[in-house]
Amino acid sequence: MSKPHWRHAHAGDLEAICTIAARIHPDLAERPEIFAEKMRLYPRGCRVLAAGGEIAGYGLAHPWMRHQVPPLDDFLGRLPHDADCLYIHDVAVLPDHRGGAARAYVAEIEELARSSAIATLALVSVYGTRVMWERLGFHAVAPDAALRDKLSSYGESATYMLRELGK
């Protein structure tokens, strides 16, 4: 069997993405239409972790504005034409396929950001994953009142994090 690898997601992967999301994020449910919109708006940032003939994880990223967390389970409508970051909306990997999968996805998204002349990655850490994201070069940002309000839908441990990409 071949080693798990990230590949671009396509519409046929939506069911597997939703199944994994429901398993990994039971308290942060999002409708299939939300995932489908992200895949349609920015397919270059949407990947699945292919493990043999199965999907073992997914990652969704899109251009966005720093300190403006997209609402959870709500449509983006459109992407900002003056985006100043690549926002990693979600990386979810089934337990048996962890151990470097998130690092590999972030490396691919970093390369995508650089090729798009974007110098910052952003995300919201949930479920106490902040330490993992720090190991991947992200740092927590102290939220102002508006950002705290947006983070509230992501759960109590939600932390907004950035990673500046060096030259």
Side-chain angles (χ1 to χ4, degrees), residues 80-105:
H81 53 76
D82 56 348
D84 62 3
C85 73
L86 200 55
Y87 180 78
I88 299 174
H89 175 77
D90 194 9
V91 180
V93 178
L94 295 174
D96 290 347
H97 297 279
R98 293 181 183 160
R103 180 178 299 280
Y105 176 75

Side-chain angles (χ1 to χ4, degrees), residues 55-131:
I55 303 298
Y58 67 88
L60 306 172
H62 56 80
W64 205 243
M65 302 302 293
R66 278 191 260 191
H67 307 290
Q68 296 185 18
V69 176
L72 192 63
D73 194 39
D74 200 0
F75 294 104
L76 300 174
R78 63 178 181 81
L79 299 176
H81 53 76
D82 56 348
D84 62 3
C85 73
L86 200 55
Y87 180 78
I88 299 174
H89 175 77
D90 194 9
V91 180
V93 178
L94 295 174
D96 290 347
H97 297 279
R98 293 181 183 160
R103 180 178 299 280
Y105 176 75
V106 169
E108 290 190 22
I109 294 307
E110 177 181 343
E111 185 177 313
L112 176 59
R114 288 179 191 280
S115 71
S116 304
I118 294 175
T120 305
L121 301 180
L123 59 81
V124 174
S125 168
V126 295
Y127 299 133
T129 57
R130 178 177 168 169
V131 170

